[in-house]
Amino acid sequence: MCEVMDGNEGEGVENKEEEEEGDAELDLPSQGVTKKVVPGIIYLGHIPPRFRPRHVRNLLSGYGEVGRIFLQPEERFIRKKKKKAGTNAKNFTEGWVEFRDKRVAKLVAASLHNTPMGVRKRSRFHHDLWNMKYLHRFKWTHLSERLAYERQVQQQRMRAEVSQAKRETNFYLQNVEKSKRFSKKDSRGVPEEDKSWGFVQRRTEEEIQTSKGNKRLRQQLARAAEIQEKSQSNRSLLAKIFNAQQ
């Protein structure tokens, strides 16, 4: 996020007293009173396309002395989309304007709010309306602190995204190496170790009784077959004896 300041000398950026104290002294010889002039800041909620800080200064300088101007640029991903679409125009989303006298800033915000930006009908911004609001007790240092905080947050977010991308890349490379090693083992015909548990499920009582019944049945069938074989051998023996006597 970068600041976009108007580069004219009338902004008051180089005035050290205005930056440090935020006010100046105004001599009124007719009244014989020295009164402090406190700067005031106006917030611009709508910035039309192709609207630049010089346009803000030209349009608002007729109402009072304008100091510093800052316009918030669009997000980077929006600008990238525009570049892909073939447009390289840089637009802004919101802005802040500093007037030397806060009373003038209040009057300007109250009188110009919801009025056309361009006075002439042929003006590019004639159909756009001012969206202004005077910021009570708001100083330029507050805006600078906010911008510095947003920059720091953006940098931290970028570092976190970069570290996350590195971790994902390392994890992907490790998996690629593992797959290569496994493919080499398969090509060599080396059987892989069985990593399954050496766990045997205990049989239920029903299964135990069933197996016992099957065992008894097999024993009974074996005995019956043995008895049947013995009886057949006895019959053959008797038949041979009786046949020999005849």
Side-chain angles (χ1 to χ4, degrees):
M1 189 182 303
C2 59
E3 288 194 19
V4 179
M5 296 283 188
D6 194 357
N8 295 335
E9 297 178 356
E11 289 183 5
V13 178
E14 298 178 356
N15 192 346
K16 295 182 180 179
E17 295 179 357
E18 186 173 335
E19 287 182 353
E20 295 176 357
E21 300 177 0
D23 55 5
E25 291 187 356
L26 179 65
D27 295 333
L28 301 176
S30 60
Q31 299 178 359
V33 180
T34 301
K35 190 173 182 180
K36 288 185 177 181
V37 177
V38 181
I41 297 176
I42 292 177
Y43 171 74
L44 302 180
H46 170 66
I47 306 296
R50 298 181 181 179
F51 197 70
R52 299 293 182 264
R54 65 176 183 274
H55 299 137
V56 179
R57 186 173 296 280
N58 293 334
L59 292 173
L60 298 181
S61 294
Y63 302 96
E65 184 177 353
V66 178
R68 290 167 286 194
I69 298 172
F70 174 78
L71 299 183
Q72 179 72 36
E74 291 178 330
E75 296 292 339
R76 291 184 179 179
F77 70 93
I78 297 177
R79 292 181 62 186
K80 288 181 180 179
K81 288 182 179 180
K82 286 185 176 180
K83 286 183 179 180
K84 290 181 180 179
T87 58
N88 197 17
K90 183 179 180 181
N91 296 326
F92 302 93
T93 56
E94 55 185 354
W96 290 262
V97 183
E98 183 186 39
F99 281 86
R100 187 170 182 268
D101 191 353
K102 70 176 184 179
R103 293 172 296 181
V104 176
K106 289 181 182 179
L107 291 174
V108 169
S111 59
L112 295 183
H113 183 60
N114 286 335
T115 59
M117 288 185 175
V119 179
R120 300 178 182 178
K121 292 184 178 180
R122 294 183 179 181
S123 176
R124 183 188 301 170
F125 313 109
H126 178 71
H127 299 286
D128 293 297
L129 301 179
W130 287 109
N131 187 0
M132 290 184 173
K133 182 179 181 181
Y134 175 75
L135 303 178
H136 294 275
R137 298 179 181 179
F138 188 83
K139 296 182 180 180
W140 199 262
T141 55
H142 299 160
L143 178 60
S144 301
E145 291 174 358
R146 174 190 167 184
L147 294 175
Y149 173 75
E150 289 181 355
R151 288 194 205 98
Q152 186 177 3
V153 170
Q154 187 177 8
Q155 290 176 359
Q156 291 179 356
R157 188 183 298 115
M158 289 294 293
R159 285 196 293 267
E161 291 177 357
V162 169
S163 61
Q164 179 67 21
K166 287 182 178 179
R167 287 195 296 268
E168 292 177 356
T169 304
N170 294 332
F171 180 74
Y172 173 75
L173 294 176
Q174 290 175 1
N175 289 336
V176 169
E177 292 295 330
K178 288 181 180 179
S179 63
K180 288 181 179 179
R181 288 198 297 268
F182 291 151
S183 62
K184 287 180 180 179
K185 287 183 180 180
D186 294 338
S187 62
R188 292 175 184 175
V190 178
E192 296 183 358
E193 297 180 357
D194 188 10
K195 297 183 179 180
S196 61
W197 294 352
F199 177 79
V200 179
Q201 178 67 35
R202 184 177 179 181
R203 295 186 300 174
T204 60
E205 187 67 25
E206 184 178 358
E207 291 176 351
I208 294 171
Q209 295 297 332
T210 305
S211 63
K212 288 182 178 180
N214 293 334
K215 186 177 180 180
R216 291 173 184 174
L217 181 61
R218 287 195 298 271
Q219 290 177 356
Q220 291 177 0
L221 291 175
R223 289 177 183 176
E226 186 179 356
I227 293 169
Q228 188 175 1
E229 289 178 358
K230 289 182 178 181
S231 62
Q232 288 180 357
S233 62
N234 293 332
R235 287 177 184 175
S236 61
L237 180 61
L238 292 174
K240 289 179 181 180
I241 293 171
F242 287 119
N243 290 333
Q245 290 179 0
Q246 291 177 359

